[in-house]
């Protein structure tokens, strides 16, 4: 490649990046349409500016390995930031997103395209160089017309960005906003924020990060409804010692007279009415769609059931003597299993209000043929959300915020009956009643004698839950 041609291409690349994505964003979208960049936009724009500056360095000082490395690092960094930015609305309805659109795609989507082009161009450049870098640097010689024009474009555009950054975002230590106001040079409309300095451990989800639910560190608290009556503990039966892990959910199938349990070890147990293990399986939660620690189980027929992880990913299972671990599908989806149990499908529940929440409770309404979930409390929660999913297509049917809660309980069990569900408030060993249509929560009973109760089952007019007592899973039965 001739040195003169190489310098022209590098200069054009610098002009292209500064004049189009960076220049349009600053002068047209910013100063004309009053669109202000958010914190992610500033990260992407800064990376583009540095890519353009690196191209000018290549023109002045020649192509060197350190400049190639800089372009690769900037391309990766910019692609990462724009990927995170794009992912916020990737699953939204058509036309939805942040800021302005170009050819139907929002500006941050084009940022991802620009950085991918940078990486592709660098890869093609390295392929065409062979084993020798061109001696293209101007050094102390005067620049030709095109490189001069590239420098002028760079200085003009960077000046506009400096004005916008220091007036709209503020000088150090202020950083960008997540939802900036329109561009204004009136001080009372400017918003200088400190909210987005990193705090705590880094997380790829940024401000949308929440901690995984922790059911082990339990401390008893006051009930939501202090006037609720206390139920009577009528029996306490130890579950089989061979059950591995802490039981997290329980359900019962009256026609088949079998129980289903899930545990923290991602194991599923099918037990008879006398609590003897009939069959079991160890779920491979990493196969295909990831299923986090199991925290929900619900029978849908005499021999089919749904299990769910706290990330709202699920698997449908069948209890059938013909099923065995050697079957291809079961071998893929179970680490191991007994005969008589298999997996038939795997998927994920998608929500709207509950997108930034995990779930520790699952129920099934036979009357409506719908699954019901209630979200777990977390750092971002201002309310708990009930979601209902149609069994026919596993798609969201309805969602509502829970009403009537003075504090947010941690819901770790659910039993659906008719038009309402009973919820286990793990914090206070308290059963709440939830209206499945309105989301209204009312008092039911308190369950004295439980310890960090997991799962809830209404069976023959009695309430069943599981506590871990002296290292053993205990099935506790209460009369209301």
């Amino acid at each position: 490649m001739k040195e003169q041609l190489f310098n022209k291409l590098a200069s054009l690349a610098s002009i292209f990046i500064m004049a189009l994505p960076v220049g349009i964003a600053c002068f047209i979208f910013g100063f004309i349409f009053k669109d202000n960049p958010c914190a992610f936009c500033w990260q992407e724009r800064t990376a583009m500016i540095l890519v353009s500056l690196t191209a000018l360095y290549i023109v002045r000082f020649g192509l060197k390995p350190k400049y190639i490395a800089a372009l690769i690092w900037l391309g990766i960094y910019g692609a990462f930031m724009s990927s995170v930015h794009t992912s916020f609305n990737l699953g939204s309805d058509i036309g939805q997103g942040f800021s302005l659109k170009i050819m139907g795609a929002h500006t941050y989507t084009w940022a991802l395209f620009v950085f991918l082009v940078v990486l592709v161009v660098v890869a093609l450049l390295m392929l065409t160089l062979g084993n020798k870098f061109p001696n293209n640097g101007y050094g102390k010689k005067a620049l030709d017309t095109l490189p001069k024009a590239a420098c002028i474009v760079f200085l003009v555009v960077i000046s506009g960005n400096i004005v916008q950054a220091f007036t709209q975002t503020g000088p150090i230590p202020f950083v960008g906003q997540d939802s900036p106001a329109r561009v204004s040079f009136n001080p009372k409309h400017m918003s200088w924020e400190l909210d987005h300095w990193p705090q705590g451990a880094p997380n790829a989800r940024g401000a949308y990060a929440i901690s995984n639910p922790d059911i082990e560190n339990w401390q008893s608290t006051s009930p939501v409804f202090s006037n609720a009556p206390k139920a009577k503990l009528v029996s306490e039966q130890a579950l089989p010692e061979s059950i591995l892990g802490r039981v997290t959910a329980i359900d019962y199938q009256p026609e088949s007279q079998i129980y289903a349990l899930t545990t923290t070890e991602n194991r599923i147990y099918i037990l008879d009415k006398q609590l003897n293990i009939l069959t079991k399986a160890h779920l491979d939660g990493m196969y295909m769609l990831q299923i986090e620690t199991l925290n929900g189980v619900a029978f849908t027929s005499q021999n089919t059931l749904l299990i769910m992880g706290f990330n709202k990913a699920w698997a449908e299972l069948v209890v059938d003597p013909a099923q065995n671990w050697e079957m291809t599908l079961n071998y893929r989806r179970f680490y191991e299993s007994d005969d008589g149990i298999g997996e038939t499908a795997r998927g994920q529940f998608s929500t709207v209000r509950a997108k930034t929440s995990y779930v520790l409770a699952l129920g099934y309404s036979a009357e409506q043929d719908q699954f019901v979930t209630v979200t777990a409390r977390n750092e971002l929660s201002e309310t708990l959300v009930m979601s209902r999913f149609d069994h026919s297509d596993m798609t969201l049917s309805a969602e509502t915020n829970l009403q009537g809660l003075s504090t947010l309980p941690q819901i770790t069990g659910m039993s659906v009956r008719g038009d309402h569900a009973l919820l286990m408030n793990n914090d206070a060993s308290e059963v709440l009643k939830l209206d499945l249509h309105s989301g209204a929560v009312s008092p039911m009973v308190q369950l004295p004698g439980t310890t960090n109760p997991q799962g809830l089952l209404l069976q023959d007019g009695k309430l069943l839950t599981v506590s871990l007592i002296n290292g053993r899973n205990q099935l506790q039965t209460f009369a209301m």
Side-chain angles (χ1 to χ4, degrees):
M1 182 183 292
K2 294 182 179 181
E3 286 75 6
Q4 188 177 11
L5 176 61
F6 183 89
N7 286 334
K8 288 182 179 179
L9 292 176
S11 300
L12 286 172
S14 177
I15 292 173
F16 174 85
I17 291 176
M18 292 301 289
L20 294 181
V22 181
I24 290 175
C26 178
F27 293 105
I28 298 179
F29 290 169
F31 295 149
I32 296 178
F33 294 135
K34 308 298 183 185
D35 181 59
N36 237 339
C38 68
F40 275 103
C41 294
W42 275 122
Q43 297 286 330
E44 295 150 12
R45 195 182 297 188
T46 300
M48 290 184 193
I49 291 170
L50 292 175
V51 167
S52 177
L53 181 61
T54 303
L56 294 180
Y57 268 76
I58 291 173
V59 172
R60 169 56 77 181
F61 301 109
L63 184 63
K64 298 178 181 180
K66 61 183 178 181
Y67 296 142
I68 294 294
L71 290 174
I72 293 173
W73 279 113
L74 290 167
I76 292 173
Y77 176 77
F80 170 75
M81 296 304 297
S82 50
S83 295
V84 174
H85 201 175
T86 302
S87 68
F88 293 158
N89 277 83
L90 197 60
S92 299
D93 287 2
I94 187 169
Q96 295 178 350
F98 300 106
S99 188
L100 303 170
K101 290 187 287 187
I102 301 174
M103 296 172 58
H106 291 275
T107 51
Y108 44 83
T109 309
W110 286 105
L112 177 59
F113 172 77
V114 169
F115 289 115
L116 291 178
V117 169
V118 169
L119 292 172
V120 169
V121 168
V122 172
L124 293 175
L125 175 62
M126 297 302 292
L127 285 173
T128 58
L129 283 178
N131 297 321
K132 185 179 179 182
F133 282 86
N135 185 23
N136 66 292
Y138 278 87
K140 296 182 179 180
K141 295 186 298 182
L143 296 175
D144 292 332
T145 302
L146 189 58
K148 284 183 179 178
C151 291
I152 292 171
V153 170
F154 182 88
L155 291 173
V156 170
V157 176
I158 195 67
S159 298
N161 277 273
I162 289 172
V163 170
Q164 186 177 22
F166 278 86
T167 59
Q168 308 306 310
T169 301
I172 295 175
F174 297 102
V175 291
Q177 308 95 344
D178 55 358
S179 299
R182 291 186 300 277
V183 171
S184 174
F185 294 101
N186 186 336
K188 71 177 183 179
H189 296 313
M190 296 178 186
S191 178
W192 295 0
E193 296 181 6
L194 296 169
D195 298 345
H196 293 280
W197 279 103
Q199 295 179 355
N203 191 294
R205 290 186 61 83
Y208 291 89
I210 65 170
S211 303
N212 288 349
D214 181 7
I215 66 170
E216 298 299 337
N217 296 319
W218 176 77
Q219 291 183 340
S220 178
T221 63
S222 300
V224 177
F225 300 102
S226 58
N227 59 343
K230 291 184 178 181
K232 181 181 178 181
L233 179 63
V234 295
S235 69
E236 192 170 83
Q237 184 173 357
L239 294 173
E241 280 190 280
S242 57
I243 290 177
L244 300 178
R246 181 190 186 91
V247 171
T248 56
I250 181 172
D251 198 19
Y252 181 71
Q253 217 299 316
E255 286 83 8
S256 302
Q257 296 188 342
I258 54 176
Y259 291 94
L261 306 174
T262 60
T263 77
T264 52
E265 299 289 333
N266 267 13
R267 296 176 185 269
I268 308 99
Y269 294 87
I270 305 299
L271 289 71
D272 63 19
K273 196 169 185 180
Q274 288 72 42
L275 301 181
N276 300 307
I277 297 176
L278 299 175
T279 186
K280 62 183 183 297
H282 184 190
L283 184 77
D284 183 355
M286 296 300 294
Y287 173 77
M288 196 171 66
L289 294 174
Q290 183 189 17
I291 300 179
E292 292 278 11
T293 304
L294 295 175
N295 284 96
V297 61
F299 279 103
T300 53
S301 74
Q302 292 187 33
N303 70 330
T304 58
L305 62 151
L306 192 87
I307 56 175
M308 183 189 70
F310 67 71
N311 63 338
K312 291 172 283 194
W314 51 262
E316 282 190 314
L317 305 183
V318 60
V319 180
D320 184 344
Q323 296 286 328
N324 63 74
W325 189 49
E326 298 300 327
M327 297 174 68
T328 301
L329 194 62
N330 290 336
Y331 178 79
R332 291 176 180 175
R333 302 187 180 191
F334 296 144
Y335 288 116
E336 59 181 351
S337 73
D338 293 344
D339 293 343
I341 188 170
E343 182 178 330
T344 57
R346 188 172 292 201
Q348 301 172 134
F349 287 134
S350 296
T351 61
V352 178
R353 290 184 175 89
K355 274 193 180 297
T356 56
S357 295
Y358 291 127
V359 167
L360 296 175
L362 171 72
Y364 173 69
S365 169
E367 292 84 354
Q368 300 178 10
D369 194 23
Q370 290 182 345
F371 295 101
V372 183
T373 64
V374 172
T375 56
R377 182 183 63 231
N378 61 62
E379 303 95 318
L380 301 181
S381 294
E382 296 182 358
T383 184
L384 300 185
V385 178
M386 175 190 68
S387 305
R388 303 206 314 261
F389 306 88
D390 196 293
H391 187 196
S392 63
D393 57 8
M394 309 302 273
T395 301
L396 184 67
S397 297
E399 244 179 7
T400 185
N401 295 329
L402 268 57
Q403 310 294 323
L405 295 173
S406 56
T407 60
L408 296 187
Q410 190 67 298
I411 304 301
T412 59
M414 180 191 307
S415 185
V416 177
R417 292 294 183 272
D419 60 357
H420 67 273
L422 302 183
L423 307 179
M424 170 60 72
N425 173 14
N426 170 269
D427 293 336
S429 300
E430 172 188 23
V431 178
L432 308 172
K433 187 175 182 179
L434 170 66
D435 188 305
L436 294 180
H437 299 290
S438 67
V441 178
S442 55
M444 191 71 181
V445 294
Q446 298 179 40
L447 306 182
T450 60
T451 304
N452 195 358
Q454 304 291 322
L456 184 66
L457 173 62
L458 179 62
Q459 180 185 356
D460 300 329
K462 296 182 175 64
L463 289 172
L464 284 69
T465 188
V466 180
S467 292
L468 190 67
I469 301 175
N470 297 324
R472 187 81 178 270
N473 288 299
Q474 302 279 345
L475 181 65
Q476 298 172 299
T477 303
F478 293 84
M480 292 187 289

